[in-house]
Amino acid sequence: ADGELVQYHYGLKDLVTILFYIFIAIILHAVVQEYALDKINRRLHLSKVKHSKFNESGQLVAFHLTSFIWCLYVVVTEGYISNPRSLWENYPHVYLPYQVKFFYLCQLAYWLHALPELYFQKVRKEEIPRQLRCIALYLLHIAGAYLLNLTRLGLILLLLQYLAEFFFHMARLVYFTDENNEKLFNVWAVVFVVTKLFTLTLYILVIGFGLPRVESQALDPERGNFFSFLFNNILFRMSVLLLVCLFQASVMWRFIHFQLRRWREYWNEQSSRKRAAAASTKQQTKLLKRDSGYHENGVVKAENGTSPRTKKLKSP
């Protein structure tokens, strides 16, 4: 009422808040599983492997869609999209608005809740290393942006990442319901390339041009200034940009390899279908010939062994 703007900082009490929302995330996970995914699985009658992947994609579709809408609302209302300079101006961004801090705490809680869910969902042993690697990468990036006062940059990067991941898992859900429908994979491919280009551009803009121009260039951990003095060194700045470009190039290489493998499988499947159709047509032709009669010693005979020609009656 008095017009004061309350802002927040991170601290040890965040751990209690994160623990509380871990339990909330487990409950919401169970609700989505029981009232949506399990009912769809009963109708589809999927195999065990597809059943596990369907549950994983179903949960992530709900989470990525919710997080994308929430993150978009935050960056629009805070003006981070309309004013890109705000991503590095007045760094370090030690004090956060309530909705930014709450978003980060909920993100950390969700990815931490994914660890016990590996046991609750009885994930196969072959899938556990891949999912642990994914959870660890999300926790590392989100916690790093939160603790190192790069929350504004982290929000934009999460927005782009969740958009691409939503289309990927949505395409997997559609594929499990109808294996002939792969149109959404093509949409995901376009969205993935566009988001990676925006991500690389954002890294270059913030690291190459933004942080080196920050007024306070001295190392000051008490004020949360961890990076600006490093990025003032052109050698360090170019090394970081090179590492970022190499990482994005490796991601694009894996993506291209995945697309080539998918197209190769698609064309192999199409060619096998054509061969099967040609073989069935040839077999039907043989059956038609056999139905009309068969040859024995150069004479066409019917199925009962008699000659199909009419016998001439002798005159009495």
Side-chain angles (χ1 to χ4, degrees):
D2 54 2
E4 291 183 357
L5 179 62
V6 180
Q7 292 187 325
Y8 300 84
H9 186 44
Y10 58 79
L12 292 177
K13 293 181 180 179
D14 290 345
L15 298 177
V16 181
T17 308
I18 291 173
L19 180 62
F20 173 77
Y21 283 103
I22 286 176
F23 294 119
I24 298 297
I26 292 174
I27 295 172
L28 293 177
H29 189 112
V31 169
V32 173
Q33 184 68 40
E34 182 175 356
Y35 292 98
L37 298 178
D38 286 345
K39 291 183 179 180
I40 299 175
N41 275 318
R42 293 191 193 101
R43 297 180 180 180
L44 296 178
H45 303 288
L46 300 174
S47 61
K48 290 184 178 180
V49 177
K50 290 184 177 180
H51 179 82
S52 176
K53 292 182 178 180
F54 184 88
N55 289 336
E56 177 190 359
S57 293
Q59 293 287 347
L60 289 176
V61 160
F63 169 71
H64 287 314
L65 179 60
T66 304
S67 298
F68 173 77
I69 296 174
W70 188 5
C71 187
L72 182 63
Y73 173 79
V74 172
V75 297
V76 170
T77 53
E78 294 295 331
Y80 300 153
I81 293 181
S82 60
N83 183 21
R85 291 177 177 271
S86 61
L87 298 179
W88 62 82
E89 283 183 344
N90 300 322
Y91 178 84
H93 307 131
V94 178
Y95 299 103
L96 308 175
Y98 171 78
Q99 59 179 353
V100 175
K101 180 180 175 66
F102 186 55
F103 177 81
Y104 271 93
L105 294 182
C106 289
Q107 293 296 309
L108 291 171
Y110 178 85
W111 290 110
L112 285 172
H113 111 281
L115 294 174
E117 285 295 343
L118 295 177
Y119 173 76
F120 295 149
Q121 295 293 321
K122 298 179 180 180
V123 178
R124 297 185 302 122
K125 293 182 179 180
E126 298 82 3
E127 293 289 327
I128 290 178
R130 178 186 63 82
Q131 295 199 22
L132 284 177
R133 186 167 59 250
C134 178
I135 293 170
L137 287 173
Y138 272 110
L139 287 174
L140 178 64
H141 285 81
I142 295 173
Y146 183 65
L147 297 175
L148 299 177
N149 303 316
L150 292 169
T151 51
R152 299 180 183 182
L153 177 62
L155 284 173
I156 305 298
L157 294 178
L158 281 176
L159 182 70
L160 297 172
Q161 176 68 16
Y162 286 161
L163 178 62
E165 288 293 314
F166 167 74
F167 278 101
F168 173 73
H169 290 287
M170 194 66 196
R172 282 218 306 182
L173 289 180
V174 175
Y175 176 77
F176 288 142
T177 57
D178 183 10
E179 294 186 354
N180 295 322
N181 191 349
E182 296 186 0
K183 294 180 180 179
L184 268 182
F185 277 111
N186 298 328
V187 177
W188 164 72
V190 175
V191 173
F192 181 85
V193 173
V194 173
T195 53
K196 290 305 171 186
L197 289 176
F198 272 104
T199 299
L200 184 59
T201 304
L202 192 62
Y203 272 121
I204 295 174
L205 181 65
V206 176
I207 296 175
F209 300 98
L211 290 177
R213 298 181 179 180
V214 174
E215 295 179 359
S216 177
Q217 295 290 342
L219 176 62
D220 191 359
E222 294 183 358
R223 293 185 55 195
N225 193 341
F226 300 102
F227 288 108
S228 58
F229 81 101
L230 291 174
F231 290 111
N232 194 30
N233 187 340
I234 187 171
L235 182 61
F236 180 82
R237 184 164 68 247
M238 295 305 296
S239 300
V240 172
L241 288 176
L242 180 61
L243 289 176
V244 169
C245 292
L246 289 176
F247 177 75
Q248 294 297 324
S250 66
V251 172
M252 288 300 298
W253 169 250
R254 292 179 59 187
F255 168 76
I256 293 171
H257 180 71
F258 170 77
Q259 291 295 324
L260 291 176
R261 185 181 62 184
R262 188 170 69 89
W263 289 338
R264 184 168 57 250
E265 292 175 355
Y266 174 76
W267 289 115
N268 290 337
E269 184 180 358
Q270 292 296 322
S271 60
S272 62
R273 286 181 179 180
K274 289 181 181 179
R275 287 195 298 269
S280 63
T281 304
K282 188 176 181 180
Q283 187 176 4
Q284 289 178 359
T285 305
K286 289 182 179 179
L287 290 175
L288 289 175
K289 288 182 179 179
R290 181 172 293 181
D291 291 340
S292 61
Y294 65 94
H295 291 77
E296 184 177 338
N297 295 329
V299 179
V300 178
K301 293 188 177 182
E303 292 182 356
N304 56 5
T306 60
S307 175
R309 293 179 296 179
T310 56
K311 296 183 178 180
K312 294 183 179 180
L313 296 176
K314 294 183 180 180
S315 59

